[in-house]
Every structure is written in structure tokens, then in C-alpha cells.
Amino acid sequence: MLRTLLSIALLSFGTQSLLAVPTPEQLLRNQTHSYINESKLPESAESKEFATLLSKTPEWQRELCDSGPVEDAAKTVQVLFDIWKTDKELVKRPIDRAMATACALEGGHFDWNSEAMLERYEYFRDKWNLGLLNIMYKDLTVFERRYLAHGVQHRHLNGLESMEYQNTEVCLPAERYTGACWYARWILLNPFGDTIHGPLYYQPYRNSWTNAAEMIRNIGGVCGSLSNFGAAAAIANGVPAITMGEPGHCAYTVMIKHNQWQPAYSLSWKRGIHRPFYGQSSWGWHVLTNRAMADTKDVYASADIRRLAMDYGKKKLTGKALETIAIARRKYPLDWQNWQTSAELMNELNGPTSQWQELHQDTLQLLASTSPEAAWTLLDKYVYKHVLPEGKDKADDRERILLAYQKSISGWGVARWEYDRALSKQIKLLAGDKNLEDQFAVSCFGAHVKENTLTPVILEHQLSRIGKDDDRRSQFIASIGKGLSKGKGDDFNNVIDTLAKKILPDAAKNGDKSTFQFIGSLTKKVFKPTEISPEKFPGVLLSSGGTFTIDEPGNRWDNPARHWGVIEEHGGDFHTGSKNPHATIQLGNYGLLSGVTIVTRGGHIGRLNGAILETSLDGKEWTTVYTFSNVKRVNRIPLADKKIEAGYVRISHPNKQHLHFEKFHVYGKKIN
């Protein structure tokens, strides 16, 4: 397959050029030789023997060159040489050779020296020979073994004594290492009152146990110690794992099966992997990288095409280089190196605009659907500066190009990521035209309506940008609402629900009747009307056309999207929190009140007993007009004799009982 691809790539270059093309084996060997030359190994019989052996072993060359980034080739080869010197037969044992290479690659990345990496290699070699590692270890790729070689963030758990302890004491099936963190207890302060965030927490116990893992298991710690303990336990037993940073927290992840990683002790989707290989340190990049590296046949084939493109680039054969790297990224779009190399080659060779436009289209068609995050990184870092026209008079063209990215993505891709940052950066590229920025936000919302994953982010981001500009906010909401009012089906219903959950509480809080009513009225399409219709009081429904708010809107029992119907004939429902339970109506019209009707939810009707009904002209000074007792499912409170004028009506509960109604209607005569 690879040779077929290369042949197709080269047919247009002529017979003589085709004959001059180096083979994949030659290019691989050349790359290996360049690494050996960079290392400047000492002149000796052993170094020559090592270099010759490496040059004659294609499998070893691939493991070295095509198992993720080689960040420091000189140090990597030096570490590999130092390991090989102590065990020259490892080249004949594929499992040990793979582990030695992984240790060398991580030695080149991290501040491990040869002695430390040799210890790790010998640990895994010997444990495997003794049958003391998880069976998964046998089939790990060199790339996956790099997680074993790397170790965990807390370096004291990477020592051999700790690894020996955890190999003996925390021996589990691979999938159960997600719970290994709980072998140690969670405890913030030691018995002397020292916090774990200070230097004295473990100090009294340094000489009480022989290793850090045993000390942590017996003393305990918080998320950092526990997550590092859990990840280190997996690694000590030959199961890849890595720690992760989260906002105010430390977690970890374990490879429970080949190419299947499971977060552990994780509290957030915002995860920063402590050993990223490409792009950013996010969880999405971790998933994408491991998918790309899962099939070594594809990895090697992709690397062969990429090496050929880079060889053309060195020879300044621009057309051949760019055409060949295009084949690589189109055939193997998960491999980030193909995308990065495409951009770097075009920068080095001054690729024409047409080639940047091709890269832009390939990114949208082949990468964005799988990883919008990686696609955005490529566009933002490399591509947009070459395809976006400059100047305020070109803002419309920029908007069209930027919107193409939004239309190419669907949901989060491989994992949730900080999409709002990409949206913010795109909006900035529109050169400060607020009308165009708002139009772009509406278009983005429309592009994601059907899937309805990114719409809440777009909504929150845009409303934050608008701030207190009421006219601009109303115009934005009207624009997105106009499209939703014409939509049908579950997809549109889901978006309306999402929109109402966000908009209605804010509109009610700000006293924005028009927005509350406009968005609220859309929910009639989503929720069925309440079947109970109590007898009305004289006059009009004064609550209709107003706003409605409660304490803690959106709490675990409440859906704010259903609030609009509570004060309208349609009906809805709400459920307050318990800290300061209240349900407040800003009436659609000031009026002389004739009565109030309440339809409670079907359960826990008695909670309404003891609640008080209050009225106000301005929403600030309140007067109690009724105390509930002997309540039923339907409650009618006549108020005509009290001659009450009001603009606001609320029910609160001094006993902090929850309130939950389906209808809260206020009747009377309009006086404004």
C-alpha cells in the first residue's frame, strides 16, 4: 500500500525523477544516522558496534524514529547506547528492545540521566521475566511504553523502592487501577497540624518507611498525593498511566485497554496531561495522539511518506514536497505530524497562497470533524495568516472564511475543549466591527443548532461580550429566536430548552420583560400545557407578559426553561432551593388585584403551609397579605376586598420549605 501511494505521488515527476527517489528504508536509515551523528558517541569499539547494529535493524530504527517526538536526539541515542551496553542481547528480544527504546526517548525528553533510565529499563525487564507485570505489558507499543518510562509528576514515587512496593502491594487488573488512589486515605492535616500544602507534612515520617509509596499509603494525603500514588501503582505493574492537572485539583488517567484511557479521580473536563506529546496538554490532544499512534502499521506508513516530503523539502523541490506531504495528511489525517509538517514545509519553501488554501480546506474536511481543537490549533497558528484577507473592507470575506470552520465541526469531537477561546479569537479577527461580530455569533449559533452541543457556549460567550447593552442584547436574542420559532422537531426543541435555561433567569433578574416573554413563548413548542385550569378571578391575567424568578434557578430540581409558563395560561413548573425560598412575579401590568390562584405540583403539597403571599409596587418594599394554611393542590386567594395595587407579587417561606408550583396566576384590573 505504501509503495503504491508513493508511486502515485511521483508519477507526475517523470521517469528519471522516480528512479532517483530514495526508498523508505533509505530515508529511515538516513534519519537514524542523523540521530547517531548528533549524539557524538565516544569513539570506541562498542559505539561502532552499537551504531552498526542499529543501522542494520530496521525494526529498531522504526521504534526509535516513529514512536512519537524525538525531542533531544543526541541525548536519546546516548541513553539508548548506555542501556544497550549493559544488555547487548536486548535487540533480539522485542519486548525488552521496545522498553529500552521507550526509556531512551523519555530520557531525551525529561531530565532523567542514563543511570536512572537504565534502572527503569532493568526494573521492567526483570519484572516481566518473573511474570510480575500485567499481561497488557507484552503488547504495548513503544509509544505506550513511554508513559511507563516517564513516570509520575511526584518524582519521589518514581524510585525503585516505591515501584517495588507498589508492584507487590497494589497488584490489580488494569481497569481497577482507576481506584488505586484510594489505597491511601484523604487527609489534609497531619497529626501535628501541618497542611499537606507545606513542606512539613511528611517530614516527621521520612525515616519511618523505606519508600515514598509506603509512606503515602500509611499517612495519606490529598488529591495530588493520591492521584500520583494511583498512577504510579499502575506504572509499577506495567500499565500505562499519567497524572493530570485540573482546576484546583489533581487527577490521573489509566490505559485500561489498548487505546482506551479512563480518567480517574477526575472532577472536571478541564484536564492538563502531565506528559503531552503534541499540540496542547488537554485531554482532547491526549485522546487524539493515542488514537493516531494506536496502529503501528499506519504510524510507520505515515512517517515514510512524511520523510519523503521532508527530503524533497531539503532539496528545495517545492512542488514535490508539498504534493507528497498532502498525500500524507489526506491518507493519515489523525497524525498531527503530517499537519504540522505541511505548515512548516510551506513556511520554509514559501508555499503559494493556493497551497495554503488547500491546507485550509483539508483541515476543515479531514481534521475538524474528528478534533476541532487540533484543527483550530493549526488554523490559528499557521493557516489563517495566509488565507484571511486583511483590512476593514475585507471583513465580510474574513467572516465567510471563519464561519467555514464553524460549519465544519460538530460537537466537541474526541473530547470537550475550550471552544470559547477559539470563538473569541475568531471574533477578534473581524477587526472590531460590533455589528459584524454579533452577526457572526448568530451565524455560529445557527451552525450548531441541530447538534446543540456548542450553542450554550456561544450563548454565554456572546451575552458576556454584550454586557449591559440592552438594545444589543435584545437584537441578538431576537435574531437567534427568529430562526428557532420556525424550526420543528426534537433538535429545535432541545435548542429552545437550552436557550430558555440560560436566558430566562437573567432576563427575570434584570426585569427584562420583552426578552423573558420572547424566549419564554418559544417554550410552548417544547412543553405540554398544564391540564388543571382553576376558576379565574375577575379582570385580566396581570401576571401574563411579566417575568418570573425564584431563588437558585436551575438547581437540581428546577428547569428554568419551564418558568415562563408558570405565570401564563399555558402552565409550567418550578422548584425553589431551600436557603431563601421565594417565587416572585414582576407583573405584566400594574393593577388592582382581584385574586391569586396557585396550582402546586402533585407531591409534597403541604410544604406550602406557612408560606406568605406578599405584594409590592416597586419590588423593594413588601407587604404581607396572606398566610397559607390547609393548602390543597389548587389554592384560590381572593384579594378584591383588600384594594391592593401592585406591580410585583411573591410567595416566600419563612420556614425555608421548598416551593414548587405549576401555575402562579395573578388577576385584577390594569391601572397603567
Side-chain angles (χ1 to χ4, degrees):
M1 173 61 75
L2 174 61
R3 293 192 180 278
T4 301
L5 284 170
L6 293 178
S7 297
I8 292 172
L10 299 170
L11 281 176
S12 62
F13 302 148
T15 305
Q16 291 184 347
S17 296
L18 183 60
L19 293 175
V21 173
T23 66
E25 293 77 15
Q26 288 173 324
L27 292 171
L28 176 62
R29 191 161 53 249
N30 291 344
Q31 184 176 359
T32 305
H33 287 167
S34 71
Y35 289 169
I36 294 172
N37 291 335
E38 284 183 47
S39 68
K40 298 180 180 179
L41 295 176
E43 289 288 338
S44 67
E46 274 192 319
S47 65
K48 290 180 180 179
E49 181 186 358
F50 168 75
T52 301
L53 185 60
L54 182 55
S55 298
K56 290 182 177 180
T57 313
E59 297 88 351
W60 201 5
Q61 294 169 32
R62 287 204 175 278
E63 291 168 350
L64 175 64
C65 297
D66 300 336
S67 297
V70 182
E71 285 121 328
D72 185 337
K75 186 178 178 184
T76 295
V77 173
Q78 181 66 59
V79 173
L80 187 58
F81 172 61
D82 291 338
I83 293 174
W84 171 83
K85 283 192 302 182
T86 69
D87 186 2
K88 294 184 179 181
E89 295 299 309
L90 67 82
V91 70
K92 300 177 182 178
R93 305 189 304 271
I95 294 175
D96 293 339
R97 185 184 69 221
M99 193 65 228
T101 306
C103 287
L105 287 164
E106 286 307 289
H109 162 74
F110 220 33
D111 57 348
W112 292 100
N113 56 33
S114 291
E115 182 179 355
M117 295 315 296
L118 174 60
E119 286 184 346
R120 291 186 79 77
Y121 162 71
E122 291 177 339
Y123 170 88
F124 287 109
R125 179 197 64 189
D126 296 345
K127 291 296 182 186
W128 176 249
N129 288 337
L130 292 170
L132 297 177
L133 295 180
N134 189 285
I135 191 63
M136 173 190 291
Y137 180 82
K138 176 183 178 182
D139 297 320
L140 295 177
T141 65
V142 174
F143 175 76
E144 291 165 343
R145 292 175 194 275
R146 292 182 71 164
Y147 292 101
L148 304 181
H150 181 271
V152 295
Q153 181 192 34
H154 289 187
R155 303 299 295 277
H156 60 178
L157 286 168
N158 292 326
L160 290 183
E161 295 84 359
S162 288
M163 294 177 71
E164 291 281 359
Y165 174 81
Q166 292 191 301
N167 181 263
T168 302
E169 297 294 327
V170 196
C171 185
L172 301 166
E175 66 274 10
R176 290 185 58 192
Y177 281 105
T178 56
C181 58
W182 301 114
Y183 271 62
R185 61 176 176 165
W186 192 101
I187 182 169
L188 179 62
L189 302 176
N190 70 12
F192 303 98
D194 298 311
T195 175
I196 195 168
H197 300 111
L200 301 178
Y201 186 86
Y202 290 117
Q203 192 61 38
Y205 314 105
R206 293 292 182 188
N207 298 319
S208 300
W209 288 280
T210 59
N211 61 81
E214 187 177 11
M215 179 179 67
I216 291 171
R217 184 179 182 184
N218 283 277
I219 300 303
V222 295
C223 57
S225 294
L226 271 58
S227 290
N228 275 269
F229 182 94
I235 289 171
N237 287 276
V239 176
I242 195 70
T243 49
M244 310 183 292
E246 297 180 357
H249 181 64
C250 183
Y252 68 109
T253 182
V254 179
M255 196 182 86
I256 60 175
K257 295 179 181 178
H258 176 62
N259 195 32
Q260 184 176 341
W261 289 79
Q262 179 65 46
Y265 195 6
S266 177
L267 305 180
S268 171
W269 61 267
K270 292 184 178 181
R271 306 176 183 124
I273 304 295
H274 288 156
R275 180 39 174 134
F277 288 91
Y278 299 110
Q280 309 298 319
S281 62
S282 70
W283 176 251
W285 272 100
H286 175 75
V287 174
L288 177 67
T289 299
N290 276 272
R291 283 192 188 179
M293 300 299 294
D295 188 328
T296 54
K297 289 183 179 179
D298 284 350
V299 171
Y300 295 163
S302 178
D304 282 338
I305 303 174
R306 188 168 59 252
R307 269 188 287 269
L308 179 60
M310 294 170 69
D311 185 66
Y312 284 140
K314 290 178 182 178
K315 296 172 181 175
K316 303 301 180 183
L317 300 173
T318 301
K320 293 181 180 181
L322 299 185
E323 186 170 343
T324 304
I325 195 61
I327 291 174
R329 68 176 183 256
R330 290 166 186 166
K331 179 64 178 177
Y332 302 103
L334 292 182
D335 191 338
W336 170 252
Q337 294 178 91
N338 291 334
W339 298 99
Q340 182 170 311
T341 303
S342 294
E344 290 175 347
L345 279 174
M346 281 196 275
N347 277 331
E348 292 171 11
L349 301 173
N350 296 316
T353 300
S354 60
Q355 289 287 347
W356 284 105
Q357 290 170 340
E358 274 192 27
L359 178 58
H360 179 244
Q361 289 303 312
D362 285 350
T363 304
L364 301 185
Q365 293 172 10
L366 302 173
L367 181 60
S369 59
T370 301
S371 177
E373 182 180 17
W376 169 250
T377 299
L378 187 75
L379 296 174
D380 182 46
K381 186 175 181 179
Y382 297 106
V383 179
Y384 277 158
K385 64 185 71 174
H386 295 281
V387 300
L388 287 179
E390 298 180 353
K392 288 190 175 181
D393 59 326
K394 298 292 185 180
D396 288 340
D397 292 334
R398 287 200 300 278
E399 183 197 20
R400 174 180 52 79
I401 294 171
L402 295 170
L403 189 59
Y405 167 74
Q406 298 291 339
K407 292 179 178 179
S408 72
I409 66 178
S410 177
W412 299 117
V414 293
R416 185 170 179 177
W417 61 290
E418 292 182 315
Y419 162 78
D420 57 320
R421 291 191 177 186
L423 180 63
S424 179
K425 185 66 177 291
Q426 282 199 315
I427 288 174
K428 287 181 180 179
L429 291 171
L430 293 173
D433 185 327
K434 287 187 177 180
N435 290 332
L436 194 59
E437 290 173 358
D438 292 350
Q439 176 184 313
F440 181 74
V442 171
S443 298
C444 290
F445 191 92
H448 299 294
V449 157
K450 186 174 182 179
E451 203 274 338
N452 195 34
T453 298
L454 301 177
T455 46
V457 182
I458 297 169
L459 192 62
E460 184 172 356
H461 184 271
Q462 178 65 2
L463 292 176
S464 176
R465 289 182 61 251
I466 290 172
K468 297 182 179 180
D469 189 332
D470 294 338
D471 291 340
R472 193 175 165 200
R473 184 191 306 109
S474 297
Q475 187 174 358
F476 169 70
I477 292 171
S479 296
I480 58 177
K482 190 179 297 182
L484 293 176
S485 65
K486 300 175 183 177
K488 297 180 180 179
D490 291 339
D491 292 332
F492 280 93
N493 289 348
N494 291 336
V495 176
I496 290 170
D497 183 55
T498 298
L499 184 64
K501 284 178 182 177
K502 174 61 183 175
I503 296 292
L504 295 188
D506 290 343
K509 181 180 179 181
N510 295 325
D512 184 352
K513 294 181 184 179
S514 61
T515 298
F516 187 91
Q517 286 295 318
F518 179 75
I519 298 300
S521 63
L522 296 176
T523 63
K524 287 191 295 185
K525 302 174 63 174
V526 181
F527 305 114
K528 294 180 179 180
T530 301
E531 295 180 355
I532 299 176
S533 297
E535 181 184 352
K536 300 176 182 179
F537 284 99
V540 300
L541 184 59
L542 294 174
S543 56
S544 180
T547 69
F548 176 73
T549 187
I550 65 171
D551 65 305
E552 300 180 55
N555 64 69
R556 61 176 175 160
W557 302 288
D558 180 64
N559 178 3
R562 297 180 64 86
H563 287 186
W564 173 84
V566 172
I567 61 175
E568 304 290 341
E569 292 285 1
H570 187 272
D573 66 57
F574 71 90
H575 194 301
T576 68
S578 59
K579 294 180 180 178
N580 181 31
H582 68 83
T584 303
I585 301 173
Q586 177 190 17
L587 299 177
N589 288 278
Y590 284 88
L592 181 64
L593 307 189
S594 60
V596 171
T597 61
I598 302 291
V599 178
T600 70
R601 283 184 178 179
H604 300 289
I605 295 171
R607 286 176 172 173
L608 184 56
N609 284 317
I612 57 176
L613 178 68
E614 301 171 284
T615 64
S616 172
L617 287 172
D618 57 8
K620 297 178 181 178
E621 296 183 6
W622 295 89
T623 301
T624 300
V625 298
Y626 183 78
T627 300
F628 288 88
S629 62
N630 300 317
V631 297
K632 303 175 182 178
R633 178 80 190 276
V634 177
N635 301 272
R636 300 180 76 255
I637 302 96
L639 298 173
D641 293 344
K642 296 181 181 290
K643 307 296 182 183
I644 300 170
E645 294 182 5
Y648 298 81
V649 177
R650 77 178 181 188
I651 294 176
S652 59
H653 210 309
N655 298 327
K656 299 189 182 302
Q657 288 286 335
H658 294 286
L659 300 172
H660 34 70
F661 309 158
E662 293 179 355
K663 287 186 176 181
F664 182 3
H665 289 175
V666 180
Y667 293 91
K669 178 182 178 181
K670 289 195 293 185
I671 58 174
N672 60 316

